[in-house]
Amino acid sequence: MYDNATESNVLARSLQKAQYRDGAGRRITNPSAGPLFGNEAEGDDLESGTIYVLRSKSDLPEIAKHRQLIHKIGVIEDR
């Protein structure tokens, strides 16, 4: 909340800004739009990194009770 009584979701704005900066960034706005990627490699596909999915080992009660739902998904780019 700011002095002029306006509000802003700073984390959401930060994510939006990062997505616009990243030329390969994707947003899914229509859940029935279909997959982003095919099931088979195409001839011009290039392997550029590794996708990872992590589950928290945190003992914090608010994290531990949602351990099956909370995941971190990311990419390690090959250089």
Side-chain angles (χ1 to χ4, degrees):
M1 171 114 11
Y2 297 99
D3 288 342
N4 64 359
T6 60
E7 294 183 37
S8 177
N9 186 335
V10 178
L11 291 177
R13 302 279 294 152
S14 177
L15 174 62
Q16 289 169 345
K17 187 174 180 180
Q19 285 178 326
Y20 282 112
R21 250 191 255 142
D22 183 355
R26 302 284 190 273
R27 286 174 283 163
I28 300 172
T29 57
N30 180 354
S32 62
L36 291 174
F37 308 104
N39 290 334
E40 297 181 20
E42 300 286 330
D44 59 348
D45 286 350
L46 298 174
E47 185 175 326
S48 61
T50 303
I51 298 172
Y52 63 88
V53 180
L54 303 175
R55 184 176 294 146
S56 177
K57 293 183 177 182
S58 174
D59 292 329
L60 292 172
E62 56 271 5
I63 300 295
K65 72 180 178 183
H66 298 292
R67 191 179 316 277
Q68 298 299 318
L69 298 173
I70 299 174
H71 293 80
K72 177 180 181 178
I73 302 171
V75 175
I76 300 171
E77 294 184 34
D78 295 338
R79 301 232 178 217

